[in-house]
């Protein structure tokens, strides 16, 4: 009887240890990239700084420069004026910028946007659900999405104005 109980306890302990090991492995060692090049960009609905709902699917038919950023992120801050300049050039050519802030307070984001004079749409991912769905790490990360909603490239790190211009050309319908 004691041997049987010991065997059952050992099996339960091994199963728990295996589950713990898998959880640690998947959280720390597996590639967090959820979507990749060639995949359909996941749809989402977030609220912009004017309180309007923005649905990603509504951008179908346009090229989308989908940028994940934070106000505290210096590389993000440095590339924002370049994004604004290129937005002015490409918005009438079927290319949109959608900047997804990663869970910061609305007031901080509004102040940043006003200070930088940004006119492209900015939404806040309050619960970081979109960040997780796209597997974003690190910031800034930009997804280039074509007019069919397919991801054609994923760029991590700060972009120069020339790089942004070239990427806009790539997603122009």
């Amino acid at each position: 009887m004691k041997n049987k109980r010991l065997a059952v306890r050992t099996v339960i302990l091994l199963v728990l240890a295996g589950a713990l090991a898998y959880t640690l492995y998947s959280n720390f060692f597996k590639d967090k990239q959820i979507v990749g090049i060639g995949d359909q960009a996941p749809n989402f609905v977030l609220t912009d700084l004017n309180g309007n709902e923005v649905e990603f699917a509504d951008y179908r038919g346009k090229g989308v420069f989908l940028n994940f950023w934070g106000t505290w992120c210096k590389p993000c801050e440095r590339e924002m004026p370049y994004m604004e300049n290129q937005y002015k050039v490409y918005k009438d050519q079927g290319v949109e910028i959608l900047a997804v802030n990663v869970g910061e307070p609305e007031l901080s984001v509004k102040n940043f946007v006003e200070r930088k004079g940004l006119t492209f749409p900015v939404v806040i991912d309050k619960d970081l659900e979109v960040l997780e769905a796209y597997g974003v790490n690190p910031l800034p990360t930009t997804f280039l999405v074509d007019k069919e909603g397919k991801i054609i490239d994923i760029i991590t790190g700060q972009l120069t104005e020339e790089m942004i211009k070239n990427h806009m050309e790539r997603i122009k319908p």
Side-chain angles (χ1 to χ4, degrees), residues 76-115:
C76 302
E77 184 175 0
R78 287 190 291 270
E79 72 183 7
M80 285 291 171
Y82 307 145
M83 288 168 51
E84 178 63 26
N85 292 343
Q86 295 308 311
Y87 177 67
K88 289 175 181 169
V89 172
Y90 285 93
K91 69 179 176 180
D92 296 327
Q93 298 180 44
V95 177
E96 279 290 338
I97 289 179
L98 183 58
V100 179
N101 176 272
V102 293
E104 293 183 84
E106 190 175 324
L107 184 61
S108 301
V109 177
K110 273 185 177 177
N111 288 340
F112 180 92
V113 167
E114 286 172 14
R115 198 171 68 247

Side-chain angles (χ1 to χ4, degrees), residues 37-78:
I37 295 169
D39 292 342
Q40 204 61 29
N43 190 33
F44 57 85
V45 177
L46 293 174
T47 305
D48 70 13
L49 299 178
N50 298 319
N52 303 312
E53 282 193 343
V54 175
E55 184 167 1
F56 189 68
D58 292 343
Y59 286 88
R60 196 54 78 78
K62 297 180 175 185
V64 183
F65 187 91
L66 180 62
N67 180 263
F68 289 84
W69 68 285
T71 61
W72 47 266
C73 163
K74 290 301 175 193
C76 302
E77 184 175 0
R78 287 190 291 270

Side-chain angles (χ1 to χ4, degrees), residues 31 33-42 134 141-146 149-156 167 170:
D31 187 11
Q33 197 76 29
I34 308 289
V35 294
I37 295 169
D39 292 342
Q40 204 61 29
Y134 277 79
T141 292
T142 302
F143 291 78
L144 301 181
V145 182
D146 70 10
K150 190 165 54 170
I151 297 167
I152 64 162
D153 207 350
I154 303 168
I155 304 110
T156 57
H167 292 318
R170 293 173 63 197

